[in-house]
Amino acid sequence: MSGGARPAAAHGRLPLPGLVLRAGPWSVRWHPRTWAVCAALVAVAVVLAVVAMGDGTIALTPVQVLGALTGAAEDRTVERVVLGIRLPRLVTGLGVGAALAVAGALFQSLSRNALGSPDLIGLTTGAATGAVLQIVLGGGTSGPLAVGAAAVLGGTLTAVVVQVLARTGRSGGGYRMVLVGIGVGAFLQAVSSVLLTRAELDQALEAEIWLQGSLAGRSWQQAVPVLVVLAVVLPLLPAVRRDADVLEMGDETAAQLGVVAARARRTQVVLGVALTAVATAAAGPIAFVALAAPQLVRRLTGATGAHLGASACLGAALLLAADLVSRHLPFAWSVPVGLATALLGGLYLVWLLTRKDPR
């Protein structure tokens, strides 16, 4: 290169959008539009949460819902409905939506491909296959905890297989991981189908219901594991996002900036697998959220990089909105939220594949 401006990374500066606020040895990157989008998404999620808490066989007003949440409800029945039935379902939905969206952002950043979400690279299918195995072959021990543990194990093993296979052969990169994941997912889908054909009628029915993905009947037994994983992962996101942004500039630039590429990728994979597995274990396979939320956030914020926090906010709001829509389809066509998101996700995937650049 002769003359002209040199890349910012060559001077040790990151070409990332936003302002850097410094206070002594501490600094934080401030992107006003991203924070505005996050605030708007949180407000939308709060409104949807109040509406969802009031929706059901016993219709409740926002005042009744807030009264029950603050301990000011005069009717004990209202308090039991809100705190005992609808709040665990709401918390599960918020947690699952946020976990899937962050996992999608991590894997899309890792693969540098919009198609590199857990839905398409086989992780969700792996978790679902683990759950089906437990239900069909569990010998009557298929409680929620056993099914959830099997889903986590299935998702983890699938991630290991995909990563190992994606690193073999002459070529690598995000497209190879996506292609390997699609192949592994198709195989595991076939395994699940074979298991269902061999299962007893009640086992097959239980597995089919679980495979549809739903928030109905979810209790604190499903909500607490999701909250625990999010409580561990969310504080790590600022550092993970910084390394992910640097990795998108290439391994050579990352090495110059002090980021160990292999370690950063392992961290992204471990966190993404944990979030996907625990979300699938809590609600069953939920499509569309991990695939679409990070891309929608990228367009809303207008900035590059892995927007993990904003993706979490949008994922939570998306799943709540999908759950409400799935309960109020016309002609009494109410369906589980997993089927509703799959229908929307199919249309989104067709649109994504017809674009020239899926990035």
Side-chain angles (χ1 to χ4, degrees):
M1 179 181 294
S2 61
R6 299 178 63 189
H11 297 281
R13 295 183 287 108
L14 299 180
L16 300 177
L19 307 173
V20 176
L21 306 180
R22 301 184 185 280
W26 305 97
S27 65
V28 62
R29 183 165 294 277
W30 169 263
H31 189 246
R33 182 171 167 180
T34 299
W35 283 95
V37 169
C38 287
L41 292 173
V42 170
V44 170
V46 170
V47 172
L48 290 173
V50 173
V51 173
M53 295 278 278
D55 184 57
T57 306
I58 302 177
L60 302 176
T61 65
V63 174
Q64 289 176 304
V65 171
L66 295 176
L69 292 175
T70 57
E74 297 179 357
D75 190 337
R76 296 299 99 181
T77 301
V78 171
E79 189 174 274
R80 284 195 294 272
V81 168
V82 171
L83 300 181
I85 299 175
R86 297 181 184 176
L87 184 59
R89 173 180 178 141
L90 174 72
V91 172
T92 303
L94 289 171
V96 168
L100 289 176
V102 173
L106 287 171
F107 279 108
Q108 288 179 3
S109 174
L110 189 67
S111 63
R112 303 182 188 180
N113 194 307
L115 299 176
S117 78
D119 311 65
L120 294 184
I121 62 175
L123 303 190
T124 305
T125 308
T129 304
V132 172
L133 270 170
Q134 175 61 35
I135 293 172
V136 174
L137 305 178
T141 59
S142 302
L145 285 178
V147 173
V152 171
L153 182 60
T156 303
L157 291 177
T158 304
V160 172
V161 171
V162 170
Q163 288 295 311
V164 170
L165 293 179
R167 293 187 180 186
T168 61
R170 296 180 179 177
S171 61
Y175 273 109
R176 182 172 178 81
M177 188 170 81
V178 172
L179 292 175
V180 169
I182 290 175
V184 172
F187 171 76
L188 293 174
Q189 183 67 47
V191 171
S192 295
S193 299
V194 171
L195 286 171
L196 290 176
T197 62
R198 307 294 299 174
E200 299 291 338
L201 181 59
D202 56 339
Q203 293 171 336
L205 182 60
E206 181 183 354
E208 285 287 357
I209 292 174
W210 191 87
L211 287 173
Q212 291 177 356
S214 175
L215 296 176
R218 291 323 188 249
S219 65
W220 292 114
Q221 202 170 25
Q222 287 83 30
V224 169
V226 180
L227 293 179
V228 170
V229 172
L230 286 175
V232 173
V233 171
L234 291 182
L236 304 176
L237 292 187
V240 172
R241 189 211 162 173
R242 181 194 61 207
D243 290 351
D245 289 341
V246 174
L247 283 177
E248 290 192 1
M249 293 186 285
D251 288 5
E252 186 177 343
T253 302
Q256 292 174 355
L257 297 175
V259 175
V260 181
R263 185 175 62 193
R265 289 197 178 93
R266 280 198 300 270
T267 302
Q268 284 184 252
V269 170
V270 169
L271 296 183
V273 170
L275 291 168
T276 304
V278 77
T280 306
I286 302 289
F288 176 59
V289 176
L291 176 67
Q295 294 300 311
L296 294 176
V297 162
R298 189 184 291 264
R299 285 160 177 75
L300 287 173
T301 59
T304 59
H307 296 281
L308 304 180
S311 295
C313 296
L314 182 55
L318 268 180
L319 194 55
L320 279 190
D323 187 37
L324 279 171
V325 170
S326 69
R327 285 190 268 170
H328 294 282
L329 291 175
F331 311 112
W333 287 353
S334 298
V335 297
V337 66
L339 291 182
T341 57
L343 291 172
L344 295 173
L347 297 175
Y348 177 80
L349 184 59
V350 169
W351 172 79
L352 198 61
L353 290 173
T354 55
R355 297 185 64 209
K356 291 183 178 179
D357 180 12
R359 175 67 179 150

